[in-house]
Amino acid sequence: MCGIVGYIGTKKASPILIDGLLKLEYRGYDSAGISTMEHGYLSNMKDKGRVKNLYNLEGIDSLEGTIGIAHTRWATHGKPAKENSHPHMDNSNSFSVVHNGIIENYQELREFLTNNGYHFLSQTDTEIIPNLIHYYYTKLEGSNDKFLQAVHQACGDLKGSYAIEVLCKDEPETMIVARKDSPLVIGVGKEENYVSSDIPAILSYTKDFYLLNDGDLAKLSNTDISFYDSSLTPITKELKNIDWDVSACEKDGYEDFMLKEIYEQPKSIRETIGSRLKKNEKVNFEDIGFTKETLSKFNKIYLVACGTAMHAGLAVKPLLERLCHIPVIVDIASEFRYREPLIDANTLCIYISQSGETADTIAALKLSKKQGATTIAISNVIGSSITREADFTIYTHAGPEIAVASTKAYTSQITLLTLLTLYFAEVSESAPTDVISDIKDELLLLPEKITEVLKDDSKIKEFAHKVYEEKDIFFLGRGTDYTVSMEASLKLKEISYIHSEAYAAGELKHGPIALIENGITVIGILTDPTLVEKSVSNLQEVITRGAKTLIVTNQEINQTNYDEVITIPNTNPFISPILSIIPLQLFSYYISKEKGLDVDKPRNLAKSVTVE
Ligand code: AGP
């Protein structure tokens, strides 16, 4: 979704801003723009289309300003068009604003401003912000710190979510930023400061960051940053060192980020396991520190998330129920938040989000906290919004995930949730130790086994070549294999635009089998020894009706029945999704490549969905 970059310092701002926007391209966007301070006036250059189009805009090379703001827009209010792109300015061209989020009461504020003589050039909700700031600024004549106060008053009128950067023509050495329910970080340099919605955009300039909380404002100059809370009381913030490797945000010789991230999985899983699990030791979640008494208080567990993160929850539900004997409900955050879920002080709610900025997941978390639940956030992004709301946070440590289609974050989420399950089971002594030990041993072997899966992708590539022109592809599985089917199907839809469905194999005869016709592609996942025979029978039913089949398995099956079989290493069935998804991530990737599509930035999608 929309991305923000800002710079204030001694260097020419525009190349830094454009460089930052290029690094934010992965978020998904349809237009881009920058605004810089030029000898007493505010320049504003923007257009729909790609960030690189900014290089062609007349006058962009002559921008000399050392303070500027920049934006990539993902249209919500008003179609992708130059006039709807950010930055937006007020009617007197005194204020320039970029904004991420949605202003829910913008119609009302637009009417108010129109009644006060303002007019609008765009269909956006954002354009009210610079005008509202101007409105308050003119009323503050003679007061101290007019710019900061005007931004603060304008923010007070906004309902919804925002992360904003504001420049003021009359205060050319200051930038004001503010956030509510939309991410914003400030990177600190020497005689220069950076702002961004995402750490990777400015990671090559600094590793020292301040993270803004909801309602916070900050006033920046080259050398100073002052922070304020929502009542404009000065506050102090802790500087955080983010030790992500810059190269982790680069393609490192891979053609696409997605491919790189698929191949990074041995490493990311190792990092996720980290010091939480060592051979012959108990699983370590000192940072959570639950006792047997705490755990015994929970009578149900919710795993709440969206998309792939929700699929990670589905993959771990069977293990959590089996080892902890507590009912587990996996829910889609956007459904959960509006369903008046039955939560109270005896409920444990676990929120899973790679970005930690997914609007629905954050709202669901806030709701459950209000109803007294204990909350745990699982995120990949240090300091992300979800981590600041939850009672406890655990990080996946998968490293930055740039491709829109999530791959390594999914396998890390399953790994971390599995570790957490084992920890609960050990603390509450709710499962036999040999069952726990087997899963622990298998978890430690995962990096090696993933490396084995990744050794040869030629069969997958060939099968992708055979079927890339298909209109529909189906995935079948039972148990955890069904949860992997759902994730594999989502991956395929996202980046290949092929219609795809995942079905629990046993459900086939209850309807979906009507869709099976001669030549259709069906992918079966068979890793659970207790269910393999049943799934084989279901696959036989589709083969009889003319389906082409690709099987991902670690079981001994009669391979001659199928068009292609990908054999993966054996492991404990509860964690097999971490291995079985990998060939299917590659399958989607190669189909997308065959079709000549933009793998990392699929149409209509955004990396973090910061609006409802
Ligand atoms: C994954 O490939 C998707 N792009 C999407 O489903 C994603 O998992 C979902 O939007 C949740 O994102 P989050 O993990 O950042 O909350």
Side-chain angles (χ1 to χ4, degrees):
M1 286 215 153
C2 310
I4 283 182
V5 184
Y7 175 77
I8 180 163
T10 52
K11 298 182 195 126
K12 196 168 150 166
S14 54
I16 296 170
L17 297 173
I18 296 177
D19 176 57
L21 291 185
L22 286 169
K23 294 197 175 109
L24 287 182
E25 282 194 300
Y26 71 91
R27 286 176 68 103
Y29 70 103
D30 47 60
S31 37
I34 66 171
S35 194
T36 53
M37 189 75 69
E38 298 295 324
H39 312 293
Y41 75 94
L42 284 168
S43 75
N44 195 9
M45 301 210 171
K46 55 188 189 176
D47 210 348
K48 69 173 185 182
R50 291 294 185 198
V51 172
K52 64 177 179 346
N53 295 352
L54 291 175
Y55 291 120
N56 304 328
L57 296 180
E58 207 185 312
I60 197 113
D61 294 333
S62 53
L63 295 179
E64 295 298 332
T66 59
I67 162 169
I69 56 179
H71 192 258
T72 47
R73 173 175 188 253
W74 190 85
T76 55
H77 297 71
K79 62 179 193 295
K82 180 174 178 175
E83 69 272 15
N84 290 330
S85 312
H86 300 210
H88 287 283
M89 299 183 87
D90 70 305
N91 291 169
S92 69
N93 291 339
S94 303
F95 296 93
S96 189
V97 169
V98 296
H99 163 227
N100 281 3
I102 288 184
I103 305 305
E104 286 162 4
N105 59 337
Y106 87 101
Q107 289 287 18
E108 193 187 301
L109 292 170
R110 196 165 159 130
E111 212 173 294
F112 166 79
L113 288 165
T114 308
N115 292 339
N116 279 280
Y118 291 84
H119 62 272
F120 295 90
L121 308 171
S122 76
Q123 290 94 52
T124 64
D125 51 344
T126 302
E127 199 185 356
I128 55 133
I129 303 175
N131 285 304
L132 204 53
I133 295 171
H134 177 265
Y135 170 82
Y136 284 117
Y137 192 80
T138 51
K139 300 233 166 321
L140 285 161
E141 214 47 68
S143 331
N144 284 336
D145 238 347
K146 276 197 306 177
F147 182 17
L148 177 66
Q149 284 204 53
V151 175
H152 174 247
Q153 289 185 12
C155 287
D157 288 346
L158 305 178
K159 292 206 176 98
S161 56
Y162 57 82
I164 55 170
E165 290 176 328
V166 192
L167 296 182
C168 170
K169 176 172 74 82
D170 297 331
E171 307 208 16
E173 283 163 17
T174 305
M175 182 191 300
I176 308 277
V177 302
R179 73 154 273 181
K180 183 179 159 279
D181 293 335
S182 210
L184 204 63
V185 298
I186 297 176
V188 180
K190 203 163 169 245
E191 286 189 36
E192 58 186 6
N193 291 304
Y194 300 82
V195 182
S196 184
S197 49
D198 274 45
I199 290 168
I202 50 177
L203 197 61
S204 55
Y205 302 105
T206 179
K207 290 195 170 174
D208 293 325
F209 290 88
Y210 288 113
L211 311 174
L212 294 192
N213 285 332
D214 271 351
D216 286 353
L217 291 95
K219 182 175 150 186
L220 291 85
S221 70
N222 293 2
T223 48
D224 281 322
I225 309 171
S226 319
F227 297 99
Y228 306 87
D229 67 10
S230 56
S231 52
L232 216 56
T233 306
I235 49 173
T236 50
K237 290 221 165 259
E238 190 193 332
L239 193 63
K240 289 202 188 302
N241 186 269
I242 308 275
D243 67 347
W244 278 354
D245 186 352
V246 180
S247 74
C249 304
E250 313 283 348
K251 285 190 198 154
D252 237 357
Y254 285 90
E255 217 170 300
D256 304 277
F257 278 112
M258 183 180 175
L259 191 64
K260 175 181 175 241
E261 288 156 9
I262 292 173
Y263 274 86
E264 273 173 351
Q265 290 177 102
K267 179 171 172 233
S268 53
I269 296 298
R270 212 171 270 128
E271 298 285 324
T272 302
I273 295 173
S275 56
R276 298 205 183 270
L277 176 61
K278 295 206 176 92
K279 198 142 184 72
N280 302 326
E281 285 184 21
K282 291 212 160 169
V283 179
N284 175 7
F285 275 93
E286 244 174 22
D287 38 347
I288 301 251
F290 282 173
T291 59
K292 194 169 179 177
E293 289 65 47
T294 320
L295 283 165
S296 67
K297 153 185 122 166
F298 301 129
N299 56 22
K300 79 181 146 227
I301 299 178
Y302 271 100
L303 299 177
V304 183
C306 301
T308 289
M310 193 272 295
H311 291 159
L314 286 174
V316 182
K317 169 187 158 106
L319 181 70
L320 196 44
E321 286 190 334
R322 180 78 63 89
L323 296 196
C324 300
H325 314 295
I326 305 176
V328 176
I329 305 144
V330 181
D331 216 334
I332 298 169
S334 57
E335 292 292 316
F336 174 90
R337 65 182 288 196
Y338 292 117
R339 217 195 36 245
E340 299 184 16
L342 298 172
I343 336 167
D344 56 27
N346 296 323
T347 317
L348 173 64
C349 291
I350 304 177
Y351 294 89
I352 315 156
S353 174
Q354 187 284 130
S355 62
E357 302 296 348
T358 300
D360 283 318
T361 310
I362 297 168
L365 192 159
K366 286 182 181 167
L367 172 82
S368 57
K369 263 180 89 177
K370 222 190 251 167
Q371 290 181 218
T374 301
T375 55
I376 299 180
I378 293 188
S379 178
N380 195 37
V381 179
I382 314 253
S384 55
S385 301
I386 200 177
T387 68
R388 282 180 273 159
E389 292 288 342
D391 299 317
F392 302 93
T393 292
I394 44 181
Y395 288 108
T396 40
H397 294 299
E401 190 181 67
I402 308 288
V404 166
S406 183
T407 53
K408 63 176 181 173
Y410 169 74
T411 47
S412 282
Q413 285 158 352
I414 299 177
T415 305
L416 193 59
L417 280 162
T418 303
L419 286 166
L420 191 65
T421 302
L422 297 174
Y423 165 73
F424 288 170
E426 283 184 336
V427 173
S428 57
E429 296 169 327
S430 57
T433 47
D434 58 327
V435 174
I436 295 178
S437 295
D438 182 62
I439 302 173
K440 279 159 83 173
D441 292 346
E442 285 299 330
L443 277 171
L444 289 170
L445 293 174
L446 276 176
E448 269 168 54
K449 293 190 178 181
I450 297 173
T451 308
E452 211 177 311
V453 177
L454 289 168
K455 228 179 240 161
D456 182 11
D457 62 3
S458 55
K459 277 192 189 175
I460 282 288
K461 211 171 178 172
E462 267 166 44
F463 196 79
H465 177 70
K466 270 190 220 153
V467 302
Y468 77 96
E469 285 173 317
E470 303 279 300
K471 294 275 170 288
D472 310 278
I473 293 184
F474 296 97
F475 290 84
L476 294 182
R478 284 171 181 255
T480 53
D481 292 335
Y482 170 46
T483 70
V484 173
S485 300
M486 287 187 250
E487 173 56 11
S489 171
L490 175 67
K491 222 69 315 158
L492 186 68
K493 286 185 200 102
E494 281 187 293
I495 60 167
S496 76
Y497 317 149
I498 292 177
H499 167 252
S500 161
E501 301 289 343
Y503 293 113
E507 266 295 290
L508 258 193
K509 286 201 274 292
H510 300 283
I513 200 160
L515 297 168
I516 303 300
E517 56 189 20
N518 202 26
I520 203 138
T521 300
V522 176
I523 299 181
I525 303 155
L526 308 174
T527 70
D528 187 335
T530 62
L531 298 169
V532 66
E533 272 178 33
K534 299 203 178 298
S535 296
V536 162
S537 304
N538 299 130
L539 283 158
Q540 202 46 55
E541 288 156 8
V542 300
I543 293 170
T544 308
R545 286 160 181 82
K548 276 201 289 293
T549 48
L550 167 75
I551 304 297
V552 175
T553 189
N554 53 18
Q555 300 297 302
E556 281 184 21
I557 51 167
N558 180 358
Q559 301 210 357
T560 56
N561 282 350
Y562 309 102
D563 293 278
E564 193 60 86
V565 176
I566 307 293
T567 307
I568 57 169
N570 212 339
T571 188
N572 185 297
F574 283 112
I575 59 168
S576 67
I578 299 168
L579 295 178
S580 55
I581 192 61
I582 292 173
L584 299 170
Q585 292 170 340
L586 286 164
F587 176 67
S588 303
Y589 173 81
Y590 286 120
I591 292 225
S592 180
K593 292 303 275 185
E594 286 280 356
K595 294 180 82 169
L597 300 173
D598 187 340
V599 176
D600 288 337
K601 298 188 282 287
R603 71 183 178 204
N604 306 339
L605 295 179
K607 183 63 183 165
S608 52
V609 183
T610 49
V611 294
E612 265 195 69

